[in-house]
Amino acid sequence: MEQAWQRIMALLSEHAPATAREIRPPAPAAQVERLQDRVGIEFPPELRTWWALMDGVDDQRDHGSGNRSGYLIPNNYVPLAVKRAEDEYARQSQYPDEGCCTPDGTHRKQAGENSFPYCSAVLPIGRDIGGGLLCVDLRQGEGHGRVMEWYASEGIYDSNWTSVSEILDEIAERLDDYVHDRELPYREQHPAIDDGELSWP
């Protein structure tokens, strides 16, 4: 993950500096620990690694100003700072899926299964402009650590990524393809960079 992140930051710094400037320094370890204590489930090592590399983007300033430079993740997700992840978790976990979340803190559904309206073992790590969330599934099962998406109308459902590291690998690969203007498979598109801001098709 560290190598993928170094590639991403090098490419952004050279080709999309406005986006590179939005990315915050590593998250304070005490904030990560506090969030894990609140959730009560061990975080996947790769999530800890990512937050040790960066503390997301100030998504509230980004959204409020109309500045789109913080949309680092494909499908135009802003990576959340640990504090904002905690805020979103506190808000959404008030509405647990009664078919999954039990009063004693266990979960009937396995990681990777859909849930509605929310599941208290799913942790937000990104937000899009429409209010949707990108999350990591902390439930038990083979899908532990899988990346899920959430919308109020749909609840939690599977994404295109199996892990946080897969997100970073995709960002690095697609940025590299863009910089070198490589031909893409049918229907795939390069990201765009305008005035130093990265955006995704």
Side-chain angles (χ1 to χ4, degrees):
M1 281 187 67
E2 291 92 338
Q3 288 183 341
W5 185 248
Q6 288 170 3
R7 283 177 65 202
I8 290 167
M9 289 306 299
L11 290 165
L12 291 177
S13 296
E14 182 175 355
H15 301 280
T19 295
R21 286 192 297 270
E22 292 290 333
I23 298 166
R24 294 154 53 102
Q31 284 190 356
V32 177
E33 293 302 325
R34 185 179 71 188
L35 178 54
Q36 180 169 281
D37 288 345
R38 179 168 196 158
V39 177
I41 303 173
E42 186 73 23
F43 292 167
E46 62 182 23
L47 179 56
R48 287 180 162 274
T49 298
W50 196 27
W51 277 334
L53 294 167
M54 59 100 229
D55 191 21
V57 165
D58 183 354
D59 70 305
Q60 293 175 312
R61 185 190 73 75
D62 184 88
H63 179 67
S65 67
N67 174 11
R68 299 296 302 274
S69 57
Y71 289 80
L72 172 68
I73 302 171
N75 301 336
N76 290 307
Y77 279 104
V78 175
L80 291 176
V82 173
K83 177 64 174 68
R84 287 284 296 121
E86 184 173 4
D87 293 344
E88 287 292 346
Y89 176 80
R91 181 170 22 260
Q92 303 304 335
S93 60
Q94 297 177 69
Y95 310 103
D97 177 358
E98 294 181 0
C100 178
C101 308
T102 68
D104 65 2
T106 59
H107 299 273
R108 297 184 183 96
K109 295 180 181 178
Q110 295 284 295
E113 291 187 51
N114 293 2
S115 209
F116 185 87
Y118 196 74
C119 171
S120 59
V122 175
L123 179 65
I125 61 166
R127 180 191 62 78
D128 74 8
I129 196 168
L133 297 173
L134 197 64
C135 307
V136 172
D137 197 334
L138 304 176
R139 291 174 291 185
Q140 294 183 344
E142 290 184 8
H144 178 76
R146 186 171 189 87
V147 177
M148 308 289 282
E149 295 185 81
W150 173 91
Y151 278 89
S153 60
E154 300 177 53
I156 293 164
Y157 57 94
D158 203 6
S159 78
N160 294 324
W161 300 289
T162 60
S163 64
V164 171
S165 60
E166 193 171 283
I167 293 174
L168 298 192
D169 287 343
E170 179 179 336
I171 295 170
E173 182 177 335
R174 291 181 68 180
L175 282 173
D176 199 56
D177 287 343
Y178 167 85
V179 167
H180 293 95
D181 196 26
R182 295 191 182 102
E183 186 173 345
L184 300 178
Y186 177 64
R187 293 188 131 176
E188 288 191 17
Q189 297 179 26
H190 286 299
I193 296 176
D194 186 30
D195 289 333
E197 295 184 3
L198 173 69
S199 63
W200 299 93

